[in-house]
C-alpha cells in the first residue's frame, strides 16, 4: 500500500505512546514533541542501529560525545555567527512571517540568479500571502538560527563575553577534537569520528510533526581523507547511507538521491547529495512529495583550516587568531602535511524515526472484515520484541506461567506481559505498535510445556516448546549484541 500521510502517523503516535505534543497540559509549545514509552525505545533503537553500523562494524571510525555549549570562537570561525541564518519576510497586512526561500519554492520558478539580483519585495510583488492572500511584503532580512544563552550568574544580558550558543549541529564538536581523537587512538587518515546528540535551531517555520523542530537529535560522522581521495570516499558514503536505510526496511520507492545544484551548495561544500524520503505523498505534484532525510556533504578542508591557528586564506591573509592549534595532519608514509578533506554523512534521528514509522505503516483486514493497523518495523527497530499474553487471565496457573516466560526472556530482549483484554484486542495492540512476535499461553501449555508464537506480519502461528522459545525468538529476530 502507498505510504500514509503524516497526520495518520501523528494520531497513531499519540494513541500508542510513541510521541506526545509537548507541554500539552499548558496548551502545548509550538512544534515541540515528547517521546513516550515506545517512542524513546524506537529512537534508542535507531541510534543503536546507526552506531553499530557506523562504529562497531567498521575498523576506521571512533565515537565522541562533545559538549552542547562550546567556546563561542567555535561558531565564529566555523562561519555560523555570520552565515547560519534564514532569510525572513513579513506580510505587512497580517504580520505573518515566512522564510523567503521557502515561499519562492512554492511559486512558479524564480531562478536563483534572479533571487540574488532583485529585492524580495520586487520578486514577490504578485505573490499572495499564504495566510491572508494579500501582497504587501517587507524586504527580507537574515535571521540567525542559533539559540543564544548567557554563561554565568553575574553576566549582564548584553555582555558579549558571556554570550554562548546551543550547538546547531554536532559536527563542530568533532572538528575541534580532531587532533585529540587522532592522537589518543593512534589513527591514520583516512578515519572518521561519529557523534550522536541534540542540536538546536530557532527554525523560522518549524512543523510537519517531528520533521522540523527547534530541538532535535543528529547522527553525524566526519570522515577525514587525503585531498584527492575525497570524491571516491564521498560516493562510497552516499551508497553506504542509502543502503543503511533500505537494510532497515525503508522501501526504495520512497527514497531518492538528490544532487544539490551548485547554487544550493553551502559555501564550504564541493558536492552534496541528499537522501530524500517521500514524506508528503498526499501533495498533488510528485516533485513536492520529497524532502530531505539526510545529507552527505564533501566539506573539503574548510573546517580543519577554519579552526586552525592562523592558517592562510586564499588571499594569503591570516584568518584565525583565536585557535591555539594547527589542525593539519602529517602523513608519515608519504612524508607530506595537509589539511584532510571531510566527508560528512549527517542524519536526523527524528526525521529517520518519522520515515521508519511512515514506511512501516500498513493496514490489513481480518476474517471478520475489520481493518487492522500493522506497524511492520524492522525487528532491530521495534520498541518491543515480544509480548507474552495469557489466553485466560482468570486462571492463576496460566497467568503465572506467562509471567514466568516474560521474566525469562527480558534479560535478552525487550519483552512485555499484557492481560488487559481479550486475545484479539491484545494482538491488535501489539500489531499497531510493531511487536514482531506474540507468545500465547493457553490451557494446553500447562500440559505440553509449549506456547503459540504468532508472527506480526503473516499472522501465522506455530507451537514452540517453552524450553526452545528463547533460541527460537532470537533466531527469528536476529537479535544482535
Ligand atoms: P533542512 O534543509 O531540512 O533545514 P539542513 O540541510 O539544514 O535541513 P543539515 O544541516 O544537513 O540539515 O542537518 C542534517 C540532518 O539533520 C537533516 O538531514 C535532518 O535529518 C536533520 N535536521 C536538520 N534540521 C532539523 C530540524 N529542524 N528538525 C529535525 N531534524 C533536522
Amino acid at each position: 500500500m502507498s505510504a500514509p500521510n503524516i497526520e495518520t502517523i501523528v494520531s497513531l503516535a499519540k494513541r500508542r505512546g510513541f510521541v506526545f505534543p509537548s507541554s500539552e497540559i499548558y496548551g502545548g509549545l509550538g512544534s515541540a514533541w515528547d517521546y513516550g514509552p515506545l517512542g524513546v525505545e524506537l529512537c534508542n533503537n535507531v541510534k543503536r542501529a546507526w552506531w553499530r553500523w557506523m562504529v562497531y562494524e567498521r575498523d576506521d571510525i571512533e565515537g565522541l560525545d562533545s559538549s552542547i555549549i562550546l567556546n563561542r570562537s567555535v561558531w565564529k570561525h566555523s562561519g555560523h555567527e555570520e552565515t547560519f541564518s534564514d532569510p525572513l519576510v513579513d506580510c505587512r497586512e497580517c504580520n505573518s512571517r515566512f522564510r523567503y526561500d521557502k515561499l519562492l519554492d512554492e511559486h512558479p520558478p524564480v531562478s536563483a540568479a534572479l533571487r540574488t539580483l532583485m529585492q524580495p519585495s520586487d520578486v514577490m510583488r504578485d505573490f499572495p500571502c499564504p495566510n491572508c492572500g494579500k501582497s504587501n511584503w517587507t524586504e527580507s532580512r537574515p535571521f540567525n538560527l542559533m539559540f543564544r544563552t548567557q554563561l554565568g550568574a553575574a553576566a549582564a544580558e548584553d555582555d558579549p563575553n558571556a554570550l554562548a550558543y546551543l550547538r546547531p549541529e554536532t559536527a563542530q564538536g568533532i572538528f575541534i577534537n580532531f587532533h585529540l581523537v587522532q592522537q589518543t587512538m593512534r589513527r591514520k587518515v583516512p578515519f572518521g569520528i561519529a557523534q550522536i546528540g541534540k542540536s538546536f535551531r530557532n527554525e523560522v517555520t518549524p512543523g510537519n510533526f517531528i520533521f522540523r523542530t527547534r530541538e532535535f537529535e543528529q547522527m553525524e560522522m566526519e570522515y577525514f581523507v587525503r585531498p584527492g581521495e575525497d570524491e571516491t570516499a564521498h560516493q562510497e558514503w552516499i551508497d553506504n547511507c542509502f543502503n543503511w536505510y533500505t537494510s532497515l526496511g525503508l522501501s526504495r520507492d520512497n527514497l531518492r538521491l538528490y544532487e544539490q545544484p551548485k547554487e544550493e551548495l553551502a559555501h564550504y561544500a564541493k558536492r552534496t547529495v541528499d537522501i530524500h524520503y517521500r514524506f508528503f505523498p498526499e501533495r498533488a505534484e510528485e516533485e513536492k512529495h520529497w524532502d530531505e532525510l539526510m545529507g552527505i556533504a564533501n566539506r573539503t578542508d574548510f573546517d580543519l583550516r577554519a579552526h586552525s591557528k592562523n592558517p592562510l586564506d586564499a588571499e594569503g591573509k591570516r584568518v584565525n587568531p583565536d585557535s591555539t592549534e594547527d589542525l593539519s595532519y602529517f602523513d608519515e608514509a608519504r612524508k607530506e602535511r595537509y589539511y584532510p578533506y571531510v566527508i560528512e554523512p549527517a542524519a536526523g534521528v527524528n526525521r529517520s524515526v518519522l520515515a521508519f514509522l511512515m514506511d512501516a505503516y500498513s493496514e490489513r483486514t481480518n476474517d471478520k472484515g475489520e481493518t487492522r493497523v500493522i506497524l511492520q518495523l524492522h525487528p532491530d527497530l521495534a520498541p518491543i520484541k515480544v509480548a507474552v499474553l495469557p489466553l485466560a487471565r482468570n486462571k492463576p496457573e496460566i497467568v503465572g506461567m506467562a509471567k514466568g516466560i516474560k521474566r525469562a526472556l527480558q534479560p535478552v530482549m525487550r519483552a512485555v506481559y499484557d492481560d488487559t483484554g481479550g486475545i484479539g484486542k491484545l494482538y491488535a495492540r501489539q500489531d499497531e505498535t510493531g511487536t514482531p512476535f506474540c507468545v500465547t499461553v493457553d490451557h494446553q501449555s500447562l500440559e505440553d510445556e509449549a506456547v503459540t508464537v504468532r508472527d506480526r506480519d503473516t499472522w501465522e502461528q506455530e507451537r514452540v516448546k517453552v524450553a526452545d522459545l528463547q533460541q527460537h525468538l532470537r533466531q527469528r529476530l536476529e537479535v544482535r549484541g
Side-chain angles (χ1 to χ4, degrees), residues 201 203 211-213 216 218 292-295 346-348 351:
R201 296 181 188 178
E203 298 277 3
F211 178 83
R212 187 181 303 285
T213 50
F216 56 98
Q218 289 185 306
E292 179 180 329
L293 173 59
M294 75 169 296
R351 264 187 217 182

Side-chain angles (χ1 to χ4, degrees), residues 140-214:
S140 92
R141 59 194 182 288
F143 171 73
N144 195 295
L145 300 183
M146 285 195 291
F147 277 100
R148 298 156 76 100
T149 188
Q150 298 283 123
L151 294 188
E157 258 190 27
D158 54 355
D159 179 355
N161 296 322
L163 174 62
Y165 302 102
L166 303 188
R167 69 178 174 201
E169 61 176 33
T170 63
Q172 299 301 325
I174 296 180
F175 300 133
I176 59 174
N177 281 294
F178 166 69
H179 259 180
L180 289 171
V181 174
Q182 186 252 319
Q183 285 161 6
T184 52
M185 306 315 285
R186 302 167 307 283
R187 283 290 180 180
K188 290 188 172 58
V189 168
F191 77 97
I193 306 176
Q195 169 155 238
I196 299 180
K198 288 244 171 161
S199 293
F200 303 81
R201 296 181 188 178
N202 203 356
E203 298 277 3
V204 180
T205 44
N208 288 317
F209 189 38
I210 53 175
F211 178 83
R212 187 181 303 285
T213 50
R214 296 194 171 98

